[in-house]
């Protein structure tokens, strides 16, 4: 089943283009990541999905229902965690979670109690007395207390201390294993790499690349060579794509036969060499810092 | 209903504060009635009429000061000022109702719940009307008690209580008008303070229009634009509530409420 689908989704804020012709498809059971620099349009996309704002062109659906027309119906099965969580200063976690259950007309408090335990939430302290990390955990608990089919998270790790981050992502993974689809936007490439099955890379409001993290990254190697002089013809034979070239070093990505790579390298005069699997960070930096500028991008080599 | 309850809960502290302060003022002002009934204030104004120009006297509702022969006449005189305070409460509540969530960032929680935009408007309106209704009811009950305490016996009790009740019905109506306008401002003006400023400016502006309308016959038509003037307590005890005025402003309230629903259902929320 299509959990999220966006079709030619475009949003302008006055003269400023926030999102341009975004087409995405999130399938049931996925943990789908959205990555991009600040201002790339991640939060705008989430706001459109949740009907906080309206698109100028195109439309979005969740559970195959139009987001702008069926918002309340959709939100019965959706949990949302904003980047910054805000509530009234005197409200407690207990009151908030009970209010959330009341909105969803859920009588049982079982899920609330299990979230208290899993996230070590203090239910009686007023919001204003809580740390940012505890506030964020309560925001996440509010999004999960009604056991949604889809979780939409905008920078879920923001504000969380390392221990809380581990707790939260463990909880998210468990929820995903039970069938909850997850759509998360993040600036943290580690979060995306560690937890997502697919990722869309956003740049200046456009999706510049969609990648299946379960397949692609394992095949792409990042090779860095140090030496006095390089014969680029050897590298051309390999088919590597240059990422960085200086007088004494060459960095390139390689997707191909490892034996061929090693054989080629063994024939070169090198001072040092490193070969590692391409991380999302490598690709992210490659795409955002200069490697690619067009809308149609290839993977790796 | 969940939002209605939580909204009312959030309004409760302010409601208690406003009710307490207004009740105290009402008690203090009514306590002056025994000293005023002999026409002290009217005499004072008459003596100093040459000192103060008529527009200034009109601005403060002192253009025509009646002889306070009974408690309802005095009460009606007092209520013209009191109404302004009550209406400011209603207006501020309306103007802060919808945009407050955007300012505080709590809209990200509220609108993540299974509730429609119309549902948000309806439940917030209901909570605010409920809070305002409680304020007026409490003050009305207090006014009835005070009227009985300070009654001179020159007026039948039922007539006195009926007139006080009519005055409060007028107060309630004026407040509903300005609260509805406040709701509309809160739907279209994201900045809370701007919305409140516009709402208060409207209260004071229409009050001034009422004052101007009483200065010359040529501009008397302006009083239609001033609910505070149309539902002026002295006018109500003299002529009752004019059903034509009530219908006119009732219709206006309905239109403004519809415009609020429409504006809110189409707006982009500003989330910080």
């Amino acid at each position: 089943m299509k959990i999220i689908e966006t079709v030619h989704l475009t949003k302008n804020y006055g003269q400023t283009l926030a999102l341009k012709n975004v087409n995405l498809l999130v399938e049931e059971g996925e943990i789908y990541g959205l990555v991009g620099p600040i201002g790339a349009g991640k939060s705008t996309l989430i706001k459109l999905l949740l009907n906080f704002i309206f698109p100028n062109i195109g439309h979005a659906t969740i559970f195959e229902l139009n987001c702008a027309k069926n918002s309340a119906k959709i939100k019965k099965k959706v949990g949302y965690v904003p980047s910054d969580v805000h509530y009234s200063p005197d409200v407690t976690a207990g009151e908030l979670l009970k209010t959330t259950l009341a909105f969803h007309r859920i009588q049982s408090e079982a899920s609330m109690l299990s979230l208290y335990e899993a996230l070590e939430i203090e239910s009686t302290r007023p919001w204003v007395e809580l740390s940012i990390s505890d506030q964020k955990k309560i925001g996440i608990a509010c999004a999960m207390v009604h056991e949604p089919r889809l979780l939409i998270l905008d920078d879920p790790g923001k504000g969380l201390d390392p221990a809380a981050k581990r707790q939260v992502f463990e909880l998210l993974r468990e929820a995903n294993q039970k069938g909850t689809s997850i759509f998360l936007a993040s600036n943290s490439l580690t979060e995306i790499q560690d937890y997502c099955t697919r990722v869309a890379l956003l740049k200046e409001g456009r999706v510049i690349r969609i990648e299946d993290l379960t397949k692609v990254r394992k095949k792409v190697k990042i090779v860095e060579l140090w030496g006095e002089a390089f014969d680029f013809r050897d590298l051309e034979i390999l088919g590597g794509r240059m990422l960085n070239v200086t007088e004494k070093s060459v960095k390139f990505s390689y997707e191909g036969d490892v034996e061929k790579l090693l054989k080629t390298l063994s024939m070169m005069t090198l001072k040092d060499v490193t070969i590692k699997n391409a991380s999302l960070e490598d690709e992210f930096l490659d795409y955002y810092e200069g490697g690619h500028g067009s809308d149609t991008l290839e993977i790796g080599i | 209903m969940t939002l209605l309850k939580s909204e009312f809960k959030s309004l409760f502290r302010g409601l208690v504060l406003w009710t307490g302060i207004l009740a105290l003022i009402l008690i203090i002002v009514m306590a002056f009635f025994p000293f005023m009934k002999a026409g002290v204030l009217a005499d004072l104004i008459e003596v100093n009429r040459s000192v103060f120009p008529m527009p200034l006297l009109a601005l403060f509702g002192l253009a025509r000061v009646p002889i306070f022969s009974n408690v309802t006449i005095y009460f009606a005189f007092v209520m013209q000022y009191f109404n302004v305070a009550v209406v400011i409460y209603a207006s501020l509540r309306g103007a802060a109702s919808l945009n407050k969530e955007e300012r505080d960032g709590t809209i990200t929680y509220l609108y993540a719940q299974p509730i429609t935009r119309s549902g948000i408007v309806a439940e917030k309106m209901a909570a605010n009307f409920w809070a305002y209704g409680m304020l007026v009811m409490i003050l009305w009950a207090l006014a009835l008690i005070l009227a009985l305490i300070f009654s001179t016996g020159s007026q039948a009790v039922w007539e006195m209580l009926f007139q006080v009740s009519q005055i409060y019905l007028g107060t309630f109506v004026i407040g509903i008008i300005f609260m509805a306008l406040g709701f509309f401002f809160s739907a279209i003006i994201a900045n809370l303070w701007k919305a409140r400023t516009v709402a208060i400016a409207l209260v004071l502006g229409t009050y001034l229009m009422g004052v101007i309308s009483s200065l010359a016959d040529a501009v008397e038509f302006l009083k239609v634009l001033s609910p505070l003037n149309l539902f002026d307590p002295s006018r109500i005890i003299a002529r009752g509530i004019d059903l034509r005025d009530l219908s006119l402003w009732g219709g206006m309230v309905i239109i403004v409420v519809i415009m609020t629903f429409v504006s809110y259902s189409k707006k982009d929320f500003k989330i910080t």
Side-chain angles (χ1 to χ4, degrees):
Chain A
M1 187 193 185
K2 292 174 189 172
I3 293 291
I4 297 174
E5 186 176 26
T6 67
V7 181
H8 304 307
L9 203 60
T10 301
K11 179 68 185 174
N12 302 315
Y13 294 113
Q15 297 295 312
T16 311
L17 178 74
L19 219 54
K20 172 81 174 171
N21 197 28
V22 170
N23 295 290
L24 287 181
L25 180 62
V26 180
E27 299 282 356
E28 190 156 21
E30 278 197 278
I31 303 182
Y32 198 104
L34 198 59
V35 70
I38 291 165
K42 303 185 296 292
S43 296
T44 298
L45 177 54
I46 286 176
K47 285 179 205 167
L48 285 164
L49 291 175
L50 292 161
N51 188 230
F52 285 114
I53 55 175
F54 292 90
N56 295 99
I57 301 169
H59 70 274
T61 63
I62 292 180
F63 311 130
E64 298 176 8
L65 295 169
N66 188 299
C67 293
K69 292 175 185 162
N70 302 280
S71 181
K73 200 172 175 183
I74 287 168
K75 285 167 189 168
K76 283 181 186 169
K77 298 172 193 170
V78 173
Y80 167 56
V81 183
S83 173
D84 298 300
V85 185
H86 298 283
Y87 298 109
S88 308
D90 51 352
V91 77
T92 65
E95 288 166 343
L96 256 176
L97 287 165
K98 281 177 187 167
T99 304
T100 310
L101 287 172
F103 270 118
H104 288 274
R105 298 170 195 270
I106 296 170
Q107 303 280 322
S108 166
E109 295 184 353
S111 62
M112 183 179 81
L113 298 174
S114 74
L115 282 165
Y116 283 165
E117 198 179 332
L119 294 172
E120 296 172 20
I121 288 172
E122 286 184 73
S123 63
T124 52
R125 280 181 70 186
W127 184 258
V128 75
E129 290 178 15
L130 296 168
S131 68
I132 300 285
S133 184
D134 286 341
Q135 290 180 347
K136 188 78 177 219
K137 283 199 288 185
I138 294 167
I140 289 162
C142 282
M144 296 182 78
V145 73
H146 60 291
E147 295 171 351
R149 276 181 64 195
L150 169 65
L151 269 168
I152 297 178
L153 307 112
D154 192 353
D155 212 349
K158 185 180 174 188
L160 289 173
D161 60 52
K165 199 178 274 188
R166 202 181 59 242
Q167 280 176 326
V168 164
F169 278 94
E170 198 49 48
L171 201 64
L172 293 176
R173 206 199 290 268
E174 275 174 29
N176 178 250
Q177 281 163 358
K178 286 178 190 167
T180 303
S181 306
I182 297 174
F183 185 75
L184 72 91
S186 181
N187 293 319
S188 164
L189 297 165
T190 317
E191 282 169 13
I192 297 279
Q193 188 169 312
D194 290 350
Y195 297 99
C196 293
T197 46
R198 278 203 296 164
V199 62
L201 276 69
L202 242 64
K203 184 181 181 182
E204 292 166 5
R206 295 160 204 256
V207 174
I208 56 169
R209 181 182 165 94
I210 295 171
E211 190 168 305
D212 187 337
L213 296 179
T214 59
K215 296 174 189 167
V216 176
R217 265 179 304 119
K218 289 171 187 167
K219 289 197 280 180
V220 181
K221 308 284 178 197
I222 301 294
V223 182
E224 200 159 3
L225 312 174
W226 284 268
E228 291 301 328
F230 299 104
D231 188 347
F232 284 95
R233 280 172 304 180
D234 292 338
L235 298 176
E236 275 167 21
I237 293 164
L238 270 175
R241 189 162 65 78
M242 290 302 162
L243 301 175
N244 192 24
V245 180
T246 65
E247 263 184 47
K248 293 183 178 178
S249 72
V250 171
K251 188 179 179 183
F252 64 97
S253 62
Y254 174 78
E255 185 180 15
D257 184 28
V258 178
E259 205 178 323
K260 187 182 169 190
L261 172 70
L262 293 174
K263 206 174 272 179
T264 309
L265 295 181
S266 68
M267 291 186 291
M268 296 171 76
T269 311
L270 299 171
K271 279 191 172 174
D272 201 357
V273 59
T274 61
I275 304 170
K276 60 174 185 176
N277 283 333
S279 69
L280 194 59
E281 190 174 350
D282 293 315
E283 294 179 36
F284 181 90
L285 294 174
D286 180 22
Y287 278 94
Y288 290 107
E289 289 185 351
H292 301 275
S294 72
D295 288 353
T296 51
L297 295 165
E298 309 153 29
I299 297 168
I301 293 168
Chain B
M1 286 299 280
T2 306
L3 175 59
L4 192 152
K5 283 182 201 164
S6 63
E7 182 72 7
F8 185 76
K9 199 177 158 190
S10 74
L11 295 173
F12 192 73
R13 199 181 294 169
L15 175 67
V16 170
L17 192 70
W18 272 84
T19 308
I21 291 169
L22 290 176
L24 190 67
I25 293 170
L26 192 63
I27 291 167
I28 292 168
V29 172
M30 288 302 286
F32 278 97
F33 172 63
F35 309 104
M36 294 291 188
K37 65 184 173 190
V40 175
L41 186 62
D43 291 345
L44 194 68
I45 297 295
E46 200 54 48
V47 168
N48 293 293
R49 194 169 285 280
S50 57
V51 178
F52 301 107
M54 182 54 91
L56 189 67
L57 291 170
L59 181 67
F60 292 101
L62 298 168
R64 284 185 294 272
V65 179
I67 300 297
F68 304 128
S69 55
N70 65 46
V71 74
T72 50
I73 295 174
Y74 178 70
F75 181 68
F77 179 77
V78 167
M79 280 300 288
Q80 68 177 324
Y81 307 106
F82 205 71
N83 275 353
V84 177
V86 174
V87 163
I88 284 174
Y89 169 79
S91 186
L92 288 177
R93 285 270 53 85
S97 58
L98 297 169
N99 48 13
K100 188 170 75 75
E101 305 283 352
E102 287 172 78
R103 186 200 62 173
D104 297 345
T106 47
I107 191 72
T108 54
Y109 168 77
L110 178 59
Y111 198 50
Q113 308 309 317
I115 186 166
T116 60
R117 289 175 180 236
S118 300
I120 292 175
V121 177
E123 293 198 35
K124 277 186 171 277
M125 274 188 181
N128 280 278
F129 285 146
W130 183 15
Y132 172 65
M134 278 186 71
L135 175 87
V136 174
M137 293 264 281
I138 291 166
L139 294 174
W140 172 52
L142 179 66
L144 292 177
I145 294 165
L146 291 170
L148 287 171
I149 291 171
F150 293 109
S151 170
T152 53
S154 62
Q155 195 179 14
V157 171
W158 71 266
E159 187 191 9
M160 183 177 69
L161 298 183
F162 179 69
Q163 286 185 340
V164 169
S165 302
Q166 270 194 315
I167 289 169
Y168 265 99
L169 182 60
T171 304
F172 181 71
V173 169
I174 308 167
I176 291 292
I177 292 167
F178 283 103
M179 185 177 269
L181 287 164
F183 275 122
F184 178 60
F185 298 138
S186 76
I188 60 167
I189 304 171
N191 184 300
L192 185 74
W193 291 106
K194 276 186 193 164
R196 281 181 154 170
T197 306
V198 172
I200 295 300
L202 196 73
V203 172
L204 300 177
T206 54
Y207 177 76
L208 274 178
M209 240 183 271
V211 170
I212 293 165
S213 74
S214 66
L215 294 175
D217 291 344
V219 288
E220 204 194 347
F221 67 92
L222 284 175
K223 75 170 185 238
V224 181
L225 300 173
S226 172
L228 278 160
N229 192 265
L230 281 183
F231 300 99
D232 176 63
S234 302
R235 204 175 138 119
I236 288 174
I237 59 166
R239 285 182 269 171
I241 290 177
D242 189 327
L243 287 177
R244 199 188 55 179
D245 297 338
L246 194 62
S247 312
L248 177 79
W249 279 99
M252 178 65 103
V253 166
I254 290 168
I255 291 167
V256 169
V257 166
I258 291 169
M259 283 163 62
T260 305
F261 274 94
V262 172
S263 306
Y264 198 74
S265 68
K266 288 181 175 174
K267 75 181 287 189
D268 280 354
F269 290 131
K270 287 191 170 54
I271 302 166
T272 49

